[in-house]
């Protein structure tokens, strides 16, 4: 793993690399599945769905997978406060680059907070983790803002719905 020095706001950003070989079918339509054991499995949505095209193991359970069409990335939220960002190859003929992805660690607490929701809002990406919301800019992967949304030990941001310039947010067990 090669760490990136992008300033204090991005101390928790790194490039990750796997030893997987390229899968030529990753340029076709796919669906992505996340597992409790931390695997992201990519299957063809055109071929037999049992055919595994690729898989990557992340550090913790997969809780959220979101395609961000504007930036042509897939963001995967995990239970350990991390978000993996997968890009397509520059040459679109090879599809998703599962060999190299970017990993962003949210928050600085001793207790990991699960990433529960990822939502594109205008030019930014809002990420709900625990009772917090991080505002991330792409493609430079800069954490622009970080807000505590609710109080309570069991509280959890569960939904974010952008509507024009507003964002509707739901939180479980908040006071």
């Amino acid at each position: 793993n090669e760490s990136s020095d992008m300033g204090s706001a991005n101390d928790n950003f790194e490039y990750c690399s796997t030893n997987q070989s390229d899968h030529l079918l990753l340029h076709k339509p796919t669906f992505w599945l996340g597992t409790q054991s931390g695997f992201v499995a990519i299957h063809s949505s055109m071929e037999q769905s049992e055919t595994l095209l690729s898989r990557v193991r992340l550090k913790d359970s997969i809780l959220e997978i979101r395609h961000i069409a504007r930036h042509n990335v897939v963001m995967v939220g995990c239970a350990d406060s991390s978000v993996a960002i997968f890009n397509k190859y520059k040459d679109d003929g090879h599809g998703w680059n599962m060999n190299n992805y970017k990993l962003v660690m949210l928050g600085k607490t001793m207790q990991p907070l699960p990433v529960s929701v990822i939502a594109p809002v205008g030019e930014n990406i809002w990420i709900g983790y625990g009772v917090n919301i991080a505002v991330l800019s792409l493609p430079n992967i800069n954490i622009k803002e970080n807000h505590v949304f609710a109080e309570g030990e069991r509280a959890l941001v569960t939904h974010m719905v952008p509507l024009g310039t507003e964002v509707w947010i739901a939180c479980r067990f908040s006071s």
Side-chain angles (χ1 to χ4, degrees):
N1 292 346
E2 178 185 341
S3 293
S4 173
D5 183 19
M6 297 179 75
S8 61
N10 293 323
D11 290 344
N12 39 12
F13 166 80
E14 62 183 292
Y15 286 96
C16 300
S17 175
T18 64
N19 293 323
Q20 294 181 309
S21 61
D22 290 345
H23 295 278
L24 297 177
L25 292 176
L26 284 175
H27 71 282
K28 293 185 178 181
T30 58
F31 66 92
W32 297 42
L33 299 172
T35 69
Q36 186 173 351
S37 57
F39 283 101
V40 176
I42 296 99
H43 295 265
S44 171
S45 61
M46 305 279 294
E47 313 292 329
Q48 291 182 338
S49 62
E50 305 89 40
T51 305
L52 178 67
L53 301 178
S54 184
R55 96 177 169 166
V56 174
R57 180 156 193 177
L58 300 177
K59 295 177 184 177
D60 208 336
S61 299
I62 309 303
L63 302 178
E64 173 78 344
I65 300 174
R66 176 77 55 185
H67 178 247
I68 310 296
R70 169 177 279 158
H71 298 285
N72 207 14
V73 299
V74 172
M75 300 180 77
V76 178
C78 299
D80 67 349
S81 305
S82 68
V83 176
I85 304 171
F86 295 91
N87 292 292
K88 284 202 165 193
Y89 282 105
K90 300 283 186 220
D91 172 11
D92 198 35
H94 289 332
W96 294 101
N97 183 350
M98 304 309 293
N99 296 323
N100 296 297
Y101 59 92
K102 299 168 191 97
L103 189 67
V104 178
M105 292 300 297
L106 303 171
K108 304 262 185 206
T109 63
M110 297 296 289
Q111 183 75 359
L113 302 170
V115 174
S116 53
V117 61
I118 299 170
V121 179
E123 295 295 319
N124 299 308
I125 310 301
W126 288 31
I127 303 169
Y129 65 106
V131 297
N132 302 290
I133 296 174
V135 178
L136 186 78
S137 67
L138 291 178
N140 60 351
I141 309 176
N142 179 30
I143 299 174
K144 296 171 65 171
E145 301 173 32
N146 204 356
H147 303 281
V148 176
F149 177 72
E151 294 181 9
E153 188 176 307
R154 295 176 47 203
L156 178 68
V157 174
T158 57
H159 293 84
M160 289 188 284
V161 179
L163 182 63
T165 58
E166 301 175 350
V167 179
W168 293 68
I169 299 170
C171 190
R172 183 177 181 212
F173 297 120
S174 68
S175 49

